[in-house]
Amino acid sequence: MSLNSFGARDRLVVDGDSYDIFRLDRVATAHRLPYSLRVLLENVVRNEDGRLVTGEQVSALAAWNPLQQSGTEIQFTPARVLMQDFTGVPCVVDLVAMRDAMTALGGDAARINPLIPTELVIDHSVIADMFARPDAFGVNAGLEFARNRERYQLLRWAQQAFDDFLVVPPDTGICHQVNLEYLARVVFTRASPHGQQAYPDTLVGTDSHTPMVNGLGVLGWGVGGIEAEAAMLGQPMSMLIPQVLGLKLTGELREGTTATDLVLTVAELLRQTGVVGKFVDFYGLGVANVPLANRATLGNMSPEYGSTCAIFPIDAETLTYLRLTGRPEPQIRLVEAYAKEQGLWHDPDDEPVYSQTVELNLADVQPSIAGPKRPQDRIPLSMAAHAVGSLLTDGPRSVVQTAGLDEALSESFPASDPVAIDHDRDDDVPFAPCGCGQSHELASDPVPVTLEDGTPAAIGHGHVVIAAITSCTNTSNPSVMIGAGMLAKKAVERGLSRKPWVKTTLAPGSRVVTDYYDRAGLTPYLERLGFYLVGYGCTTCIGNSGPLIPQVSAAVTEHDLTVCSVLSGNRNFEGRIHPECKMNFLTSPPLVIAYALTGTMLADLLNDPLGTDPSGEPVYLRDIWPSTQEVKEVIDECVQAEMFTRGYADVLVGDDDWRGLDVATGQIFDWDDASTYVRRPPYFDEMSPEPKPVGDITGARVLAVLGDSVTTDHISPAGAIKTDGPAGDYLRGHGVTRGEFNSYGSRRGNHDVMIRGTFANIRLRNLLAPGTEGGVTRHLPDGEPMSIVDASTAYAADGVQLIILAGAEYGSGSSRDWAAKGTLLLGVRAVLATSFERIHRSNLIGMGVLPLQFPAGTSRETLGLTGEEVYSITGLTGADPAAPFPGEVSVRAERDGQNTEFVATVRIDTPAEAAYYRHGGILHYVLRQLLASTD
């Protein structure tokens, strides 16, 4: 219950219903804050409890200095949590294991539920194996179930066992599009001791593109699994008060430009500006000229800019979209009344203070693509053919910088983990495309290929081998999707066809898209060009593109061809889309179709013909490009609210495969000991009702010695599972064939697989085992080289505690929960580093691992530490649980009779973190709180 020390509690009456609200105008200076910070301010005012959320935090946020980087932490309590299956399954596994632990401790398992609404959408598992045929969707859905049955059984059980937990079954949509079209409330309501309470809808999500919902005025962003679990369990999230960049919009888009062109322009602009770790607020007269779907596209790609969020305020366009998507009228009226009452309604004449402002005239946006490796490297369509020719002859630049935003984004493949980068770096800026005007001669001729049906073709450098209309970034936007369908219709009517070497796929983010395609009569034309439905999921955008056409694949591999993909997605790092595609270009859905028609990135789409009609006349892109008015007329006629209400009426039901899953009922999950996807984690083994006293760490050995800028992507298991590694050995030992290994992302629910991939990235260099790469260390004191997991097992058998030694910026990159979970399960008690990335430091505490920092101005190197020492960390035993947690500990490193002693800083920075650590982690803390409340 809120202390209400600012006297902000009041009533709001809408349609005769009275709501408990906390008025922002009761807090001095609230009116000058940007929209995003007003939402945060309401959150801390409403949740002020004097312990975790304090009046000092409210005052600090109200007194926000836009020109200074704040060092003040506030506690943010989201209204709900959004998950997708790759990143959500581990959270569900932990919640299920908590029920087992509650039962073992004599409590009521039914008390373990998400304490705030949690919604999981299964969208990351469908693969475009089959394409360009009528049964592609059905075949791909069947293969998806066969591969993921064990994971889906867990989620199906959770759907019926947990309160406040919704699961959207597979083959339904992409989480962010479902969130935008159905789940988002804009204004949330919930029962409270003071009656029904109304407050801004806010969320955190276990996917980096969670900010897509920012387009609705809903504040939310991506977090790691441990942070999401904490939020699920009612724990507020600690965050620094951010700086806010105001992006002022003027004018309106020109004819022939799309939302995709706009978002690629903004990505380039904000990378140039530098917004890593900041909030971005859109404001100005131009806001009214940006349709809601375009706003969502801009919010979706905020991770590609580096910003935490990219949010629009609530206005009339918000209400129009809520009506279009079938939200109830009483809810829409509440949104309008609440936003106006709280100063959250957009006023173009009101200009809050910002840390920095940038202006964009929408009329300056021009048709564009981005690539070949980074989303911020925008190429005007007028320069695209020349730029690609330059890249093919001169080679793409090497752009991925260690510990930078690009590496964090690229390493998020395939699970789309949120990034955890807190400052800009030089190489994060965009590169300008080649505009020299000179001809670039290619080094080799096309290779002849005979396709399966006997069609002859020639494949060369720069050819397009994948053309994918995919990703919620664009498929949530009727203007670009209808535009693509109309372009397909006009192309077919002029006698054009796709090039036979191009794999074409259509994977929208919700069933509404195919509904309005059918109603508009556009589906047959898309299918004539090969764009059959392959699934409702992320597919190509996260690398689930499936195999290339076999004869094309053979030619690419044999002749080392540099071939390309074009996709309406959000990321295009090399190796992400398909291992055989070295160049990947982001573009609008209509241009995806255009490039499928030409079959090459070397075509000048503005000046070269796409092909010829039956009479031999050239057909140009301008001949078949639908006008804005044509698109609008089709949308007005064919995109109706009843499609959304009908399409989402049974969104939780699922198909026959989902409903037919064999799932036991009851409060306790029946773990399958034979499962290699889902296993009960050992976090709660031997857990007691009361926490044990915090103790010193003595006689510890070093498991790994790591340098600077080691990211969570180096630490955490990711990508394909190696046949000859510890995880591969484990799977083979359990009867899994190589073809069924799947990825680490799909096996995040099995700790036995995940710990065998922790610290196993081939780019990781353990300085304790020089000359090796990946998960290798030396067991001490005998010095025998072995895998990190084998060394961990050996040390555990001998009762030896473990630590990690690391350099600066330890744990930057993606916000991966297994970077902390794997560390704990390998037996590591503490990490001693020069400095930490903030979120990973917090995650270590959340798993009960102690983060320690070398004294200022020192490091492992300056102290002469090699990792071969025996370590003792003292100063924790006997600490008063009622007193603040010790801020320092004594460290002694002993080797060959020589001691190195120093005082390390304990990086437990808040009372909440101290409570989590004393209990052995956040899950244990919450479990004991719930257990105590039942006594």
Side-chain angles (χ1 to χ4, degrees):
M1 182 180 296
S2 174
L3 292 180
N4 194 29
S5 62
F6 290 81
R9 171 170 273 126
D10 203 354
R11 308 299 298 182
L12 174 68
V13 178
V14 182
D15 292 343
D17 294 322
S18 180
Y19 298 92
D20 180 46
I21 68 168
F22 285 80
R23 297 182 62 94
L24 285 171
D25 58 11
R26 301 284 173 84
V27 181
T29 71
H31 63 281
R32 72 184 183 91
L33 295 178
Y35 175 88
S36 56
L37 294 192
R38 294 180 194 183
V39 176
L40 279 185
L41 181 63
E42 188 280 339
N43 194 279
V44 292
V45 169
R46 174 168 40 87
N47 290 292
E48 180 197 4
D49 61 2
R51 185 176 65 90
L52 296 177
V53 184
T54 64
E56 289 77 14
Q57 294 173 28
V58 175
S59 297
L61 185 51
W64 175 69
N65 184 337
L67 301 180
Q68 290 184 354
Q69 179 66 57
S70 174
T72 302
E73 293 200 11
I74 61 172
Q75 302 293 319
F76 169 60
T77 308
R80 58 192 175 96
V81 174
L82 177 70
M83 299 179 176
Q84 39 93 335
D85 52 311
F86 265 29
T87 52
V89 163
C91 300
V92 177
V93 166
D94 292 348
L95 209 61
V96 174
M98 286 181 72
R99 282 201 167 182
D100 292 345
M102 177 67 92
T103 301
L105 292 171
D108 180 6
R111 292 294 309 279
I112 303 296
N113 289 289
L115 299 181
I116 63 173
T118 301
E119 297 137 354
L120 186 150
V121 181
I122 301 174
D123 64 6
H124 263 55
S125 297
V126 63
I127 299 173
D129 289 293
M130 298 298 167
F131 68 100
R133 46 189 260 189
D135 63 346
F137 171 67
V139 172
N140 291 333
L143 290 170
E144 175 189 1
F145 259 88
R147 292 168 176 143
N148 296 282
R149 178 173 295 273
E150 294 171 28
R151 298 167 63 234
Y152 290 177
Q153 284 176 322
L154 171 75
L155 297 178
R156 180 78 174 86
W157 176 86
Q159 184 185 43
Q160 54 87 27
F162 288 121
D163 298 332
D164 259 343
F165 184 73
L166 300 181
V167 177
V168 176
D171 310 312
T172 302
I174 300 174
C175 65
H176 309 304
Q177 190 160 341
V178 174
N179 191 25
L180 185 76
E181 296 176 351
Y182 175 68
L183 297 173
R185 287 78 152 172
V186 185
V187 172
F188 214 87
T189 58
R190 202 157 170 87
S192 78
H194 294 266
Q196 198 75 351
Q197 192 173 73
Y199 48 93
D201 183 9
T202 56
L203 73 154
V204 292
T206 60
D207 187 280
S208 58
H209 294 101
T210 299
M212 183 170 182
V213 78
N214 294 170
L216 269 175
V218 175
L219 183 62
W221 58 85
V223 298
I226 294 172
E227 300 154 276
E229 288 181 43
M232 284 171 59
L233 296 171
Q235 300 302 299
M237 293 175 47
S238 181
M239 61 180 293
L240 294 172
I241 300 175
Q243 290 187 311
V244 183
L245 178 137
L247 181 49
K248 185 175 185 178
L249 301 178
T250 61
E252 55 186 306
L253 292 176
R254 294 180 297 164
E255 181 70 33
T257 55
T258 68
T260 315
D261 303 319
L262 172 59
V263 75
L264 296 180
T265 300
V266 171
E268 177 187 50
L269 173 65
L270 293 184
R271 280 291 194 111
Q272 289 170 336
T273 304
V275 294
V276 169
K278 300 175 184 177
F279 283 11
V280 172
D281 279 30
F282 294 93
Y283 75 103
L285 289 171
V287 165
N289 297 327
V290 182
L292 198 292
N294 292 17
R295 299 178 186 186
T297 299
L298 287 164
N300 178 282
M301 283 191 69
S302 67
E304 282 66 47
Y305 322 149
S307 64
T308 303
C309 64
I311 195 165
F312 281 81
I314 299 168
D315 64 359
E317 175 63 19
T318 312
L319 306 185
T320 298
Y321 185 82
L322 292 176
R323 288 192 174 92
L324 171 67
T325 49
R327 266 64 168 217
E329 277 298 324
Q331 176 69 17
I332 297 171
R333 288 194 292 272
L334 173 62
V335 169
E336 180 176 11
Y338 184 88
K340 289 179 175 177
E341 190 75 14
Q342 289 283 59
L344 300 176
W345 188 266
H346 181 234
D347 179 358
D349 297 323
D350 175 36
E351 187 164 324
V353 294
Y354 296 102
S355 305
Q356 182 183 0
T357 58
V358 177
E359 186 168 333
L360 174 64
N361 185 343
L362 299 175
D364 292 337
V365 174
Q366 56 185 310
S368 302
I369 65 174
K373 291 186 178 184
R374 307 191 307 175
Q376 71 267 32
D377 292 334
R378 185 181 67 87
I379 305 171
L381 189 60
S382 60
M383 301 172 60
H386 179 88
V388 173
S390 169
L391 292 166
L392 288 170
T393 53
D394 301 335
R397 306 186 198 191
S398 178
V399 297
V400 175
Q401 181 190 23
T402 300
L405 179 59
D406 287 330
E407 182 180 44
L409 291 171
S410 65
E411 291 285 1
S412 70
F413 163 79
S416 306
D417 297 275
V419 300
I421 301 292
D422 58 10
H423 62 278
D424 295 287
R425 291 169 169 82
D426 291 341
D427 281 1
D428 287 340
V429 299
F431 290 148
C434 177
C436 70
Q438 299 176 3
S439 175
H440 294 279
E441 298 297 330
L442 299 185
S444 65
D445 295 325
V447 177
V449 171
T450 301
L451 301 178
E452 187 175 15
D453 62 357
T455 301
I459 311 295
H461 295 302
H463 276 198
V464 174
V465 296
I466 291 176
I469 298 177
T470 180
S471 172
C472 53
T473 306
N474 283 291
T475 67
S476 61
N477 194 321
S479 65
V480 293
M481 294 300 285
I482 291 292
M486 294 181 70
L487 187 142
K489 179 176 184 291
K490 293 186 176 189
V492 170
E493 290 172 344
R494 291 294 301 270
L496 301 183
S497 60
R498 71 176 173 96
K499 291 297 184 282
W501 57 82
V502 183
K503 177 174 184 174
T504 46
T505 57
L506 170 65
S510 85
R511 293 174 179 264
V512 174
V513 176
T514 46
D515 285 348
Y516 64 62
Y517 270 161
D518 289 344
R519 179 175 289 189
L522 297 174
T523 301
Y525 299 101
L526 288 159
E527 292 178 348
R528 283 278 296 277
L529 297 181
F531 288 92
Y532 283 85
L533 176 70
V534 298
Y536 297 98
C538 301
T539 61
T540 303
C541 193
I542 61 164
N544 288 356
S545 52
L548 299 182
I549 295 169
Q551 297 77 17
V552 173
S553 175
V556 170
T557 303
E558 180 181 353
H559 299 280
D560 193 24
L561 298 177
T562 299
V563 293
C564 311
S565 72
V566 290
L567 66 152
S568 60
N570 46 53
R571 290 183 190 165
N572 54 343
F573 298 98
E574 183 175 353
R576 178 183 176 92
I577 306 306
H578 192 283
E580 293 168 21
C581 289
K582 296 179 182 178
M583 300 172 71
N584 307 293
F585 294 92
L586 307 180
T587 187
S588 66
L591 289 182
V592 169
I593 292 178
Y595 278 114
L597 297 174
T598 65
T600 176
M601 295 302 301
L602 296 172
D604 181 349
L605 295 188
L606 297 184
N607 297 299
D608 296 341
L610 303 177
T612 57
D613 64 17
S615 64
E617 290 295 315
V619 180
Y620 294 89
L621 181 63
R622 58 182 176 268
D623 298 330
I624 62 173
W625 188 271
S627 68
T628 302
Q629 183 59 33
E630 287 176 308
V631 171
K632 182 180 184 303
E633 289 173 358
V634 174
I635 290 175
D636 290 345
E637 180 180 352
C638 299
V639 183
Q640 303 295 329
E642 55 87 12
M643 302 173 99
F644 291 89
T645 53
R646 185 181 68 247
Y648 282 108
D650 59 352
V651 69
L652 304 180
V653 174
D655 61 13
D656 291 343
D657 285 332
W658 177 257
R659 294 192 301 272
L661 284 170
D662 182 18
V663 177
T665 58
Q667 300 295 328
I668 301 297
F669 181 67
D670 185 16
W671 301 95
D672 180 0
D673 291 338
S675 175
T676 57
Y677 278 94
V678 175
R679 296 182 65 80
R680 185 173 66 84
Y683 306 130
F684 306 106
D685 292 355
E686 301 179 3
M687 178 180 169
S688 59
E690 295 294 329
K692 297 176 181 178
V694 173
D696 295 336
I697 299 171
T698 57
R701 284 289 185 179
V702 175
L703 185 62
V705 177
L706 307 173
D708 294 339
S709 301
V710 169
T711 73
T712 54
D713 311 303
H714 294 125
I715 303 167
S716 187
I721 298 174
K722 292 173 60 177
T723 305
D724 57 352
D729 291 342
Y730 167 87
L731 290 173
R732 283 200 312 275
H734 284 74
V736 180
T737 64
R738 177 67 188 91
E740 297 173 326
F741 273 15
N742 217 321
S743 66
Y744 280 113
S746 67
R747 294 189 182 272
R748 288 185 179 193
N750 183 345
H751 63 278
D752 284 323
V753 171
M754 298 302 282
I755 60 172
R756 286 166 170 78
T758 303
F759 294 108
N761 189 305
I762 60 171
R763 293 188 298 151
L764 185 74
R765 299 292 181 267
N766 181 3
L767 304 178
L768 192 58
T772 65
E773 61 182 24
V776 179
T777 192
R778 285 190 297 129
H779 179 268
L780 297 171
D782 54 61
E784 180 184 354
M786 61 180 66
S787 72
I788 280 182
V789 68
D790 286 345
S792 166
T793 302
Y795 283 126
D798 294 337
V800 176
Q801 298 176 318
L802 298 173
I803 68 171
I804 297 288
L805 299 183
E809 295 186 309
Y810 182 74
S812 59
S814 299
S815 190
R816 293 183 183 270
D817 54 341
W818 269 103
K821 289 180 175 179
T823 298
L824 169 73
L825 293 180
L826 286 170
V828 174
R829 294 284 310 280
V831 176
L832 181 55
T834 306
S835 64
F836 289 91
E837 189 282 325
R838 182 176 167 275
I839 292 177
H840 182 60
R841 179 196 62 79
S842 177
N843 285 346
L844 288 171
I845 297 168
M847 294 309 300
V849 178
L850 184 66
L852 302 174
Q853 202 157 297
F854 287 110
T858 70
S859 65
R860 176 188 65 81
E861 293 90 339
T862 63
L863 292 170
L865 303 176
T866 66
E868 296 178 326
E869 304 86 0
V870 175
Y871 285 77
S872 295
I873 299 169
T874 57
L876 299 175
T877 298
D880 183 0
F885 200 84
E888 296 179 337
V889 291
S890 298
V891 179
R892 184 178 73 248
E894 181 181 358
R895 182 187 179 195
D896 298 333
Q898 300 296 313
N899 291 338
T900 300
E901 298 185 3
F902 57 92
V903 174
T905 301
V906 177
R907 289 302 315 277
I908 292 179
D909 296 348
T910 68
E913 290 178 348
Y916 300 157
Y917 183 76
R918 289 184 188 279
H919 280 263
I922 192 168
L923 301 178
H924 301 75
Y925 170 81
V926 172
L927 181 56
R928 290 191 177 104
Q929 300 298 306
L930 293 172
L931 180 65
S933 68
T934 62
D935 294 341

